[in-house]
Amino acid sequence: MTNDLKLFIELTEFLISQEHEHPVAKPIDVKELHKTLDLNLKDEPIIDSEFATLLKQVIERTPKTASTSFFNQLFGGRLGKAALGDLLAVMLNNSMYTYKVAGPQVGIEKTILYKICEMIGYPKTADGTFAPGGSMSNYMAMLMARDKYDPQARTEGISHKMTLYTSEVSHYSIAKNASFMGIGRNQVRSIKTNGKGEMLAEDLDRQINADLVNGHQPFFVNATAGTTVLGAFDDVGQISETCKKHNLWLHLDGAYCGSVIFSKSYCHLVKGISQTDSFSVNAHKMLGTPLSCSILVTKNKTDLHLSFSNEAEYLYQTDTDDYNLGKTSLQCGRRNDALKLWTLWKSVGSKGLEAIVDHQFEMAKIARNYILNHSDYTLYSFDNSISVCFNYKDVPAQRLCTALYENAKLMVGFGNFKGQDFVRMVTINSLIVEKDVMNFFKTIEEFEISSDN
Ligand SMILES: *Cc1c(COP(=O)(O)O)cnc(C)c1O
């Protein structure tokens, strides 16, 4: 083990130097992958020196998500204290299902969950869990709602047409989850949005009424805090009124930008959050912990128990249900995803998390201002978002992003809203500074000029 740790440190140092020297790894054409790297598994072991060399080759060619040229997705960067917590979790290797095998780690998870419940104004009856990703947090919320509105579903399956509602620009997991849980994709109603991608409460009300007339059972509404493309925030307060009127479960999918709850300047974007029945947030997005760190909280812990507990004598042998987290989780054996957020939170304090969130909005503002002040660019996204969407000259977004990637210049993706394609740059890596944002635009401009020749 000691030698492995030495090698680990050597490889980590190599990775960090690579991130500086080659912030975008040279991509391997997928057709060439197995010819370029020796990924085959053989009968004989590899010798130690070749093993280290091979690992370095793999590191060299793996996309660098912590570099200051990565603007591609809704995560990025590396916060040392969070990475430390995750590395410790690997070494400790507990499974979070019982207090007996996870001990204080259970307390760490519970502390985070209760703190978040308290921050968003949930009552003392609230509780939560860590799910294996934001899609699965949404799944758990949807299952709790299904079981609340049709308690027989747990034993008999779905017996009638239950309908659920989410905006046309919400995350695709809602439709997938509807199919997993026996509701069916066709029972997902797509609610129209305004010009900024925010769900229209009038259309929600209209579609609920239409389903009621047709004898369906509306049960669940998903609102989004930070839509995947534009980073738009649905009006939770307004939507919650519609949900109360029709007695429906309201979930807030904050996978992307739910972390605004940490910021005094931006928590107004989720005003009304205390009126929701459940809320999810990915700390591996805005808070910058390593993947995955997905939190789901709900107002009544009874709902978590009713949907997810199962007696198992071989597993639950000591302590009370409150500390045997397997009674409220999707999985049986479960990775410790809480420790990395706790080490980060403990080391920077809630004020430090607020600074992380605020910095990302600040960087996005700098990027938007640059675009607005340079006539070669057109802006398509809005204030209060860390997704900066734009086009450069008349270069098609897809062509630009793909060429920047293939030439190892920048990692950035493209998106679409109401028929308009654009580049989507995400300022979620909290380690980037103004210089990196400027460098992003400079790279595009220089690259475009050189490819014109
Ligand atoms: C990222 C995202 C998800 C999915 O989270 P995963 O952890 O990738 O499963 C769900 N909803 C929104 C709005 C997201 O941005």
Side-chain angles (χ1 to χ4, degrees), residues 10-130:
E10 184 188 325
L11 292 173
T12 305
E13 283 167 353
F14 176 72
L15 168 61
I16 291 170
S17 73
Q18 283 289 310
E19 285 167 357
H20 286 119
E21 287 163 37
H22 306 287
V24 183
K26 194 163 153 251
I28 303 174
D29 187 312
V30 44
K31 291 192 284 298
E32 304 294 322
L33 180 59
H34 293 275
K35 280 180 240 159
T36 313
L37 296 170
D38 175 20
L39 306 180
N40 288 337
L41 298 167
K42 298 165 190 152
D43 287 342
E44 299 306 318
I46 189 169
I47 60 171
D48 284 356
S49 62
E50 282 178 22
F51 183 55
T53 308
L54 177 60
L55 286 174
K56 281 188 183 167
Q57 288 166 354
V58 172
I59 290 171
E60 198 180 339
R61 304 306 288 274
T62 298
K64 301 296 180 293
T65 64
S67 93
T68 51
S69 298
F70 185 82
F71 298 90
N72 203 75
Q73 232 89 46
L74 309 183
F75 73 98
R78 182 186 302 113
L79 298 174
K81 290 292 191 297
L84 171 83
D86 211 12
L87 293 168
L88 267 180
V90 169
M91 297 306 283
L92 287 165
N93 199 32
N94 303 101
S95 178
M96 300 303 280
Y97 43 36
T98 61
Y99 186 75
K100 189 178 177 189
V101 297
Q105 303 299 324
V106 170
I108 284 173
E109 177 162 325
K110 284 260 147 185
T111 303
I112 294 173
L113 293 169
Y114 286 143
K115 184 87 181 168
I116 288 179
C117 288
E118 184 192 310
M119 284 173 66
I120 64 174
Y122 274 7
K124 288 269 181 288
T125 51
D127 203 346
T129 185
F130 279 65

Side-chain angles (χ1 to χ4, degrees), residues 390-417:
F390 66 90
N391 275 324
Y392 179 62
K393 294 188 174 166
D394 49 8
V395 191
Q398 177 167 3
R399 205 190 97 201
L400 181 62
C401 295
T402 307
L404 287 165
Y405 158 68
E406 285 174 348
N407 289 279
K409 297 289 182 195
L410 284 174
M411 293 285 281
V412 64
F414 51 90
N416 176 295
F417 179 65

Side-chain angles (χ1 to χ4, degrees), residues 332-345:
C332 174
R334 186 164 60 95
R335 206 184 175 276
N336 179 359
D337 285 332
L339 184 57
K340 55 193 155 196
L341 176 55
W342 186 84
T343 49
L344 174 68
W345 198 335

